[in-house]
Amino acid sequence: MKGTKHIYYILLYLPYLLSVVFRSLPHSSYLIAWLGSFFIFFVCFKGFIKKLPDDLPLFEQLLRPVFFLQIVFAGYMACTSIFFYINTLGYEYFSYVGNKSFISEDIYKSIALCQRYYVLGHAALTHGLLAAMSDPQEKKYRIYAPSMSNLLLGISVLCLPIGYLFSKVGSLNQFSIQLNGLSFVAGTIALAFAIRENKRVNLLASSGLFGLNMLSALNSGFKEPIIICALLLGIFLLPVYGKRVLPVLFSVLLVLFFVLPTFIGNFRKIQSEGVDASTARDKSLDQIINNDNLAKDLQEDNWEFLTGRLSEISMFIKYTESTPYFIPYYKTSLFTNALQTIIPRFFWPNKPDVEQMVMDRVYAARVVDQQSVVSAKPAFIVDCYLSYGGIGIWIGLFLYGFIAQRLSAMAERMFAGYFMGTAVMFAGLFQILWRGNSLEFLVNAVFWSLITMFIIQKIFKARGILYKVD
């Protein structure tokens, strides 16, 4: 790609190298590593290393991996630890309250060590994303769609029931998650296009689909689907309304981040009593609306969320304390296990349980008690560390970024450019790459998402939606 300055890749690793120099000063080392992620964002988005794609305006290409995936993945992985760090210093928000339990001075060395691994992983991820980027290629295909909102609405409406049916058939279950994700993304974009094209019927239908997706997200018991619903709609409305969307989007996200920890906590507590998801959702909302001490409860729940659940550094610390000192590196065994997960249970009835396979290393490191019902699957960077330590993190995160960018570029070649390729197909089928997951779940999902993408291209060609340019 033109504009590449290969020697400048070293800029990405300066924060890690500097934090290693100051490793004898844990607080300084941590802050250098934490601020280093913002430095990496800066040098990447400024194009100091490689010129970023300019075939589209910025607001119309935000879902490309170098932007959205990097911000979500690296931001969640490397930037959220600040709340845990502040908490160990005895602060709650901006007030000093002291530590409620004994804090060893060694905790700061452990925090700094993990943050150094985080900034190394962020540097490697960005390196992989930029290394895989190439100049936009001549389009081999064109999309035939008199109305884009009709096409997107059709994709969403068709994928939703098919995904549900596939989830009930063991041999086809592999495709249900991908189709549901595609239905969600296509439906959300359809709503944005219906607003742009001022089509009343489409607006009503796509609004209904968006409402169903939001209800499904509320019933999931997780915060991420709810936030993604709002975030994606905002991103797709940016090309329509421009920067006017940003204040509304930021306000909505801020409210969600502040309210959701309490809502989800209430939801899970109520559901644990044997109540169905819909009833738990309604009761949880009712408790928030009718709570006389809402502000105080939200503040307490949100701080617990920020320090304990948003950041996973506390779990990462436990892994670094057990491996390689008590548990040896797993080396290639995790990747071998991941390849095995690709084989459908239909062809391998005695296939090991993937959840149990992942949780075995969680129990071995004593991250959670084996009697606990909590699922605390290790993050992707943790699996890389457990495999080969620091070098495993560099290799794993570089490949992560490189493969994600290649998949996005492949989708654009297969589906006539950024919009249908990255914004619809890549975002719909490869959502797992935004946040990552344990190696076994990640490899399985990416493989079957790739197969699904090839199948959909065949269908599009057969239906005349996608045609080859002579």
Side-chain angles (χ1 to χ4, degrees):
M1 185 174 181
K2 296 177 181 178
T4 306
K5 304 177 182 68
H6 295 286
I7 191 65
Y8 284 9
Y9 278 120
I10 192 65
L11 287 172
L12 299 173
Y13 298 97
L14 286 180
Y16 170 72
L17 296 173
L18 189 59
S19 66
V20 170
V21 171
F22 282 88
R23 63 184 178 275
S24 61
L25 301 170
H27 297 283
S28 299
S29 182
Y30 169 80
L31 291 172
I32 290 169
W34 183 75
L35 291 169
S37 280
F38 297 95
F39 174 78
I40 291 170
F41 283 132
F42 176 75
V43 298
C44 175
F45 296 148
K46 276 295 188 178
F48 290 149
I49 301 170
K50 179 178 281 191
K51 182 181 177 183
L52 297 178
D54 58 1
D55 55 323
L56 292 169
L58 177 62
F59 284 165
E60 295 181 24
Q61 58 167 319
L62 287 177
L63 286 172
R64 278 180 169 149
V66 72
F67 299 112
F68 192 79
L69 183 148
Q70 184 190 178
I71 291 172
V72 173
F73 185 94
Y76 176 79
M77 174 185 71
C79 301
T80 57
S81 65
I82 189 67
F83 302 107
F84 181 83
Y85 173 70
I86 291 173
N87 191 58
T88 60
L89 292 175
Y91 284 85
E92 185 171 315
Y93 295 106
F94 299 103
S95 303
Y96 182 77
V97 296
N99 288 305
K100 297 177 182 178
S101 57
F102 175 75
I103 296 291
S104 168
E105 191 65 27
D106 288 342
I107 187 64
Y108 300 113
K109 295 180 182 178
S110 298
I111 293 173
L113 172 65
C114 289
Q115 194 63 38
R116 290 197 293 271
Y117 283 139
Y118 280 150
V119 78
L120 173 63
H122 186 182
L125 172 78
T126 307
H127 189 173
L129 288 168
L130 294 177
M133 281 198 321
S134 57
D135 292 314
Q137 298 177 359
E138 186 178 352
K139 293 181 180 179
K140 296 181 179 179
Y141 295 97
R142 293 285 187 273
I143 292 285
Y144 174 74
S147 169
M148 188 57 70
S149 63
N150 285 351
L151 174 60
L152 293 168
L153 197 56
I155 293 172
S156 183
V157 169
L158 284 173
C159 287
L160 192 61
I162 294 173
Y164 175 78
L165 290 174
F166 281 8
S167 69
K168 303 299 180 182
V169 181
S171 57
L172 297 174
N173 187 51
Q174 302 283 355
F175 298 101
S176 63
I177 297 174
Q178 284 77 13
L179 291 175
N180 287 333
L182 183 58
S183 174
F184 159 61
V185 170
T188 305
I189 308 177
L191 176 56
F193 265 85
I195 295 171
R196 176 189 290 184
E197 296 178 1
N198 198 24
K199 290 190 172 184
R200 186 176 179 182
V201 174
N202 289 34
L203 181 60
L204 290 172
S206 53
S207 296
L209 278 171
F210 185 80
L212 287 174
N213 281 322
M214 185 60 79
L215 282 175
S216 176
L218 287 169
N219 290 345
S220 69
F222 296 97
K223 295 170 287 295
E224 290 84 355
I226 304 169
I227 294 171
I228 291 295
C229 276
L231 185 58
L232 282 182
L233 181 60
I235 288 174
F236 295 136
L237 286 175
L238 273 170
V240 182
Y241 295 106
K243 294 181 180 179
R244 288 175 294 173
V245 173
L246 293 176
V248 178
L249 178 60
F250 288 146
S251 299
V252 170
L253 291 176
L254 186 63
V255 170
L256 288 176
F257 268 104
F258 200 66
V259 174
L260 280 178
T262 299
F263 169 80
I264 296 299
N266 292 342
F267 178 92
R268 291 177 179 175
K269 183 179 179 181
I270 295 168
Q271 198 174 36
S272 68
E273 299 170 356
V275 177
D276 63 87
S278 298
T279 305
R281 177 199 66 215
D282 296 340
K283 286 187 175 181
S284 181
L285 288 171
D286 186 62
Q287 286 182 9
I288 291 176
I289 294 170
N290 298 313
N291 188 347
D292 295 332
N293 298 312
L294 181 60
K296 182 180 179 182
D297 288 347
L298 288 178
Q299 190 174 13
E300 290 177 356
D301 292 342
N302 201 54
W303 186 247
E304 182 184 345
F305 162 69
L306 291 173
T307 58
R309 299 194 300 276
L310 179 64
S311 171
E312 295 184 348
I313 193 169
S314 60
M315 289 191 288
F316 195 8
I317 289 171
K318 293 181 180 179
Y319 286 110
T320 58
E321 289 174 344
S322 61
T323 299
Y325 309 107
F326 305 105
I327 302 169
Y329 289 125
Y330 288 82
K331 297 186 178 179
T332 60
S333 63
L334 299 187
F335 183 68
T336 303
N337 291 344
L339 292 178
Q340 292 178 0
T341 66
I342 294 173
I343 305 171
R345 197 169 295 277
F346 177 79
F347 298 108
W348 186 10
N350 295 323
K351 176 182 172 181
D353 181 82
V354 181
E355 179 82 17
Q356 186 59 49
M357 193 186 300
V358 172
M359 291 303 293
D360 281 344
R361 56 185 178 273
V362 178
Y363 299 141
R366 297 184 180 181
V367 174
V368 296
D369 187 82
Q370 198 156 357
Q371 304 303 316
S372 173
V373 295
V374 176
S375 176
K377 293 185 286 291
F380 181 77
I381 190 171
V382 172
D383 277 349
C384 293
Y385 171 80
L386 292 177
S387 297
Y388 283 103
I391 190 65
I393 288 174
W394 186 85
I395 295 172
L397 270 296
F398 176 86
L399 290 175
Y400 193 103
F402 192 91
I403 291 170
Q405 174 57 38
R406 288 298 191 194
L407 288 171
S408 174
M410 180 188 295
E412 292 191 16
R413 289 195 302 272
M414 292 173 62
F415 291 92
Y418 165 80
F419 179 75
M420 189 59 68
T422 289
V424 179
M425 293 299 160
F426 180 78
L429 297 175
F430 296 93
Q431 285 181 33
I432 193 171
L433 290 173
W434 292 345
R435 270 280 312 274
N437 209 318
S438 302
L439 195 58
E440 292 89 341
F441 288 101
L442 191 70
V443 170
N444 177 277
V446 168
F447 177 83
W448 288 105
S449 294
L450 187 61
I451 298 299
T452 305
M453 188 166 72
F454 279 109
I455 293 172
I456 292 173
Q457 190 202 35
K458 293 288 185 184
I459 295 172
F460 272 30
K461 286 181 179 179
R463 300 293 299 173
I465 299 171
L466 197 64
Y467 63 95
K468 202 162 188 177
V469 178
D470 296 329

